Each structure stands twice: as structure tokens, then as C-alpha cells.
Amino acid sequence: MKGRRRGADLEAALLEAAWTELTERGYGGLTMEGVANRAGTSRPVLARRWNDKAELAIAAIRQQMAKHPMAVADHGDLRTELLEYLELASTRAKGIAAVFTLFSSEYFQDTSSTPQDLRTALLAGGKETLRALLDRAVERGEILEQNLAPPVDTLLGVLFRHHVLMTFSPPPEALRTAWVDRIFLPLVKNHKESRNSDE
């Protein structure tokens, strides 16, 4: 690293080095020493912040995710907001989807965790943006709360993650639109309101 960095600047630089190592070598080739060397620092500097390479890898991915925030403004229309949400998620996925090809079973052995645990770790401290959009639509009377019973409330997120994990790429716009118009909205819309708007 050029110059002497401290605090947040140092941590950001360390995580960038970890991200580069992760994308170039995969999780199996990721080492605390390798990250320290790339960052121009020592292993103890990393060890003071992360206990092992599993924690470091999660932190590095979360930093990349933070570069693509998922904030969706209130447009007064759930369909518009859902499509924007999926577009933002796709932009984020372009940056991080490929790295998931590099996570071998070694990560899950190291952490005694499952893919769901990995998702929880990546989202720790973040807000469930999709749920916030749905709650907003309920308040506007666009959709009914009782129509959001599981698994409907998480359906769009599940479809999105499945596509990314199976193809290591974000879903195309046409597919995202089909998910919203043909699958999700028919399940959750306030059909009474829909009939009134059609009359």
C-alpha cells in the first residue's frame, strides 16, 4: 500500500486486496499471508480484524456489495419499484456472481455452515429491501398483507438467487419483467382494487 493508512482507509485497502486474491485464486487459494503481501502489510494486521480467511472472504464480498446500494425510492407503484429493485440487484450481481463459482466445499467445511448461512452472513446488518417495498405497497393498499404469507413474500428473491447461482449471471430484463408481471403480482395484488381500476 502506498503511504501509511489507518482506520477505515486501511480496512478498505485490505478488503480490496482480499477481493483481488479471492477472484484470482478462489477461496481454496486465499490465504491471510497472500492478502497481507498484496496489501503490503503483515499478517497480524489482518488477524486483528478477522479471525480467519472465511471471515475475511465474507467481509471482502460485503464491501463489493456495498458499492451497489439497493435503495429504491417510493414511486407510488409497486410494479415500478419491483422492476427497479431487480435491476439494482442485477447490477450488483454482475460484480459478485462470478466469485461464487470459486467457493468450494472447503468454505462450508471451514465454517461448518450451509449456503443459507453464507447468505445470512453476507446480509448481516443490512436491510431487507424487498420486504420494505412490500410493506410500503401494503400501506398504499396496492396489495394485501394476507397475500404475503410465506413463501410468497420471498418468492422474487428466491427466483433471483436461484438464477444467479445456477448461471453465475444476473437474469435478463425480459425474465425479470415476467417474474413480476406473470408470477408475483398476480399472487399479491388487491384484486378488488384491480377490478375497480379496470371498470
Side-chain angles (χ1 to χ4, degrees), residues 29 36 39 53 60 71 74 78 87 103 106 112 123 158 175 196 199:
K53 74 173 188 177
D74 187 344
L78 179 60
E87 181 178 0
F103 271 81
E106 182 183 347
S112 299
L123 296 178
V158 170
L175 181 56
N196 290 340
E199 291 176 356

Side-chain angles (χ1 to χ4, degrees), residues 32-99:
M32 302 287 271
E33 292 79 5
V35 173
N37 290 337
R38 182 178 288 272
T41 188
S42 63
R43 190 185 190 287
V45 172
L46 273 73
R48 286 196 292 270
R49 292 167 171 79
W50 303 282
N51 291 324
D52 52 37
K53 74 173 188 177
E55 284 189 9
L56 178 58
I58 293 298
I61 297 173
R62 288 182 64 187
Q63 176 170 276
Q64 296 302 312
M65 293 171 65
K67 293 179 179 180
H68 304 285
M70 295 290 294
V72 176
D74 187 344
H75 297 292
D77 176 68
L78 179 60
R79 180 180 185 274
T80 300
E81 292 172 6
L82 289 176
L83 291 175
E84 181 177 336
Y85 166 80
L86 291 173
E87 181 178 0
L88 291 172
S90 295
T91 299
R92 172 184 282 185
K94 289 177 184 177
I96 67 170
V99 79

Side-chain angles (χ1 to χ4, degrees), residues 86-125:
L86 291 173
E87 181 178 0
L88 291 172
S90 295
T91 299
R92 172 184 282 185
K94 289 177 184 177
I96 67 170
V99 79
F100 288 100
T101 66
L102 307 175
F103 271 81
S104 64
S105 60
E106 182 183 347
Y107 170 82
F108 299 106
Q109 293 171 356
D110 286 349
T111 58
S112 299
S113 63
T114 65
Q116 179 62 34
D117 295 328
L118 173 60
R119 175 179 180 268
T120 300
L122 290 173
L123 296 178

